[in-house]
Amino acid sequence: MAARDETSDSTFTEEERAAMREHAAEVKASRKRGTSKAEKAALDAQAVLDKIAAMPEPDRGLAERIHRIALEVAPDLAPKLWYGMPAYAKDGSVVFFFQDAAKFGARYSTLGFQDAAALDDGSFWPTSFAVTPEFSLDDERTVAELIRRAVG
């Protein structure tokens, strides 16, 4: 993650401020988009594909694989951008998202789950996972199972 600017009064990095600006633009754009739910869903899904296509490798390949898994396992989830990241929503609430490593200068990408994900397991469970370029077929199966559980 990028270092915080110690000379600034801001508590957010430039990357974090950029993500907030992206989110504001996403909300504004969603209000202007097509008139029907189907048109809005199609535009949101295309925005996710465009965002993934713009990612540098190896993030792009990882995002493409997770996107494919998400649509295969939970076709009812709605792809949309969330703070500039590909995300997948159920009934309007984000269930999980993919954060590419390049977005915040991290050493790995992240698959993160939100409160809407039904992953509860006792009083302690993971809500995000590091994803590296070595992402294997076994890892794909694990992600598929997490998504199945997350959508209930």
Side-chain angles (χ1 to χ4, degrees):
M1 187 169 217
R4 298 203 185 279
D5 180 0
E6 298 298 329
T7 62
S8 170
D9 289 337
S10 177
T11 58
F12 298 105
T13 66
E14 181 53 39
E15 292 87 354
E16 290 166 332
R17 287 191 297 275
M20 288 184 273
R21 286 190 297 272
E22 282 181 291
H23 182 62
E26 292 158 10
V27 170
K28 185 177 180 180
S30 73
R31 291 183 185 140
K32 291 182 180 179
R33 289 192 179 147
T35 57
S36 74
K37 278 188 170 185
E39 288 172 322
K40 287 181 182 183
L43 289 169
D44 284 344
Q46 186 59 52
V48 167
L49 293 175
D50 293 345
K51 179 59 83 170
I52 291 171
M55 290 178 187
E57 286 295 350
D59 293 329
R60 181 182 331 118
L62 293 169
E64 288 169 345
R65 290 169 71 188
I66 289 181
H67 182 75
R68 176 187 49 77
I69 293 165
L71 296 181
E72 286 174 3
V73 171
D76 292 339
L77 288 178
K80 62 185 265 179
L81 290 179
W82 184 68
Y83 293 94
M85 298 176 284
Y88 303 84
K90 179 179 178 181
D91 301 326
S93 296
V94 170
V95 177
F96 69 95
F97 62 92
F98 177 82
Q99 178 183 301
D100 57 299
K103 184 163 188 70
F104 294 110
R107 66 183 181 95
Y108 52 81
S109 297
T110 303
L111 178 64
F113 291 87
Q114 292 297 104
D115 289 352
L119 295 177
D120 304 36
D121 184 14
S123 60
F124 182 76
W125 61 89
T127 59
S128 66
F129 299 84
V131 183
T132 68
E134 294 77 25
F135 191 67
S136 70
L137 291 175
D138 283 340
D139 298 329
E140 283 191 12
R141 286 188 283 277
T142 299
V143 167
E145 182 55 32
L146 284 167
I147 293 170
R148 273 189 206 91
R149 285 183 46 213
V151 297

